[in-house]
Amino acid sequence: MIHEFPCGTRVLDFVATLRARRSEQSYEFLTDTVALDAWWLEAGVRTSGRASDEADLAAAVELREALYTVIWHRLNGEVLPGEALALVNERAQSSPVSPTLTASGVVRDGDPAACLVDLAREAIEILGGEEGALLRECSRPECTTIYLDRSRGHRREWCSMQSCGNRAKAAAYRARVRARVATP
């Protein structure tokens, strides 16, 4: 498995394919068409369909950035930017991935454009519905991952306990140890 899925929904995991956005050392997971096709498969967006080409990769990155812009503005209680909103709505209007039930399970067939339709529609449902209130950004300063906080008390702090949560707790522990050692 190449990709990580800590956000609670495919569209937010897709937006998180660019990590540490506000850092000079951001990390891009969608480096080429192979990585994009791997993401579709690993996320369960599709199980079959035409391989992605460079135009599909460019369209995916364009939608990802529009999604991030709209989601970030919703998260921060700001007016949704018109250009990004228009792109998300436009992408949602085409034909989505087609699921088919077979004897061996569900086959989700679609080209890369259909995959983007599914993600745009999912974003619209989250942002326009009650789940929009559950959007949170990881509290680790270097991380910019946005996730849905579906925890019981809605007090989740990190996109993932395995990565950011573990790092934050380890840093806090080291700081406490240094403070004890420094105290005469």
Side-chain angles (χ1 to χ4, degrees):
M1 188 174 234
I2 299 170
H3 302 283
E4 300 172 2
F5 302 92
C7 300
T9 180
R10 290 184 307 192
V11 69
L12 294 175
D13 287 321
F14 182 69
V15 169
T17 58
L18 178 62
R19 299 277 170 88
R21 290 172 174 272
R22 292 184 293 271
S23 169
E24 290 180 20
Q25 299 174 338
S26 61
Y27 186 79
E28 174 67 73
F29 282 88
L30 301 180
T31 54
D32 56 27
T33 58
V34 173
L36 179 60
D37 286 335
W39 196 91
W40 299 138
L41 186 62
E42 291 173 21
V45 177
R46 72 173 183 178
T47 56
S48 63
R50 172 182 66 75
S52 298
D53 60 24
E54 291 299 321
D56 297 322
L57 179 60
V61 169
E62 178 185 38
L63 179 62
R64 179 190 67 193
E65 295 310 303
L67 289 167
Y68 176 77
T69 299
V70 172
I71 291 166
W72 188 90
H73 280 77
R74 170 68 164 91
L75 169 68
N76 289 288
E78 297 181 8
V79 175
L80 305 182
E83 188 174 320
L85 188 59
L87 179 63
V88 171
N89 285 326
E90 177 186 319
R91 291 290 165 85
Q93 301 310 309
S94 299
S95 298
V97 171
S98 298
T100 304
L101 182 61
T102 68
S104 59
V106 176
V107 174
R108 296 182 54 81
D109 186 51
D111 65 12
C115 295
L116 295 178
V117 171
D118 280 3
L119 295 174
R121 288 180 177 188
E122 186 176 343
I124 289 168
E125 293 298 325
I126 290 170
L127 296 171
E130 293 178 10
E131 283 191 314
L134 302 178
L135 291 167
R136 305 283 186 276
E137 186 175 59
C138 184
S139 64
R140 194 173 132 243
E142 300 82 18
C143 186
T144 56
T145 300
I146 298 172
Y147 59 90
L148 286 177
D149 181 4
R150 294 181 176 135
S151 66
R152 179 181 286 171
H154 302 291
R155 297 180 353 175
R156 180 175 161 189
E157 294 182 50
W158 304 290
C159 62
S160 168
M161 188 59 204
Q162 289 76 26
S163 58
C164 291
N166 189 32
R167 288 178 190 163
K169 287 185 173 206
Y173 172 77
R174 287 190 301 275
R176 286 192 307 273
V177 168
R178 280 193 301 271
R180 279 195 299 252
V181 170
T183 304

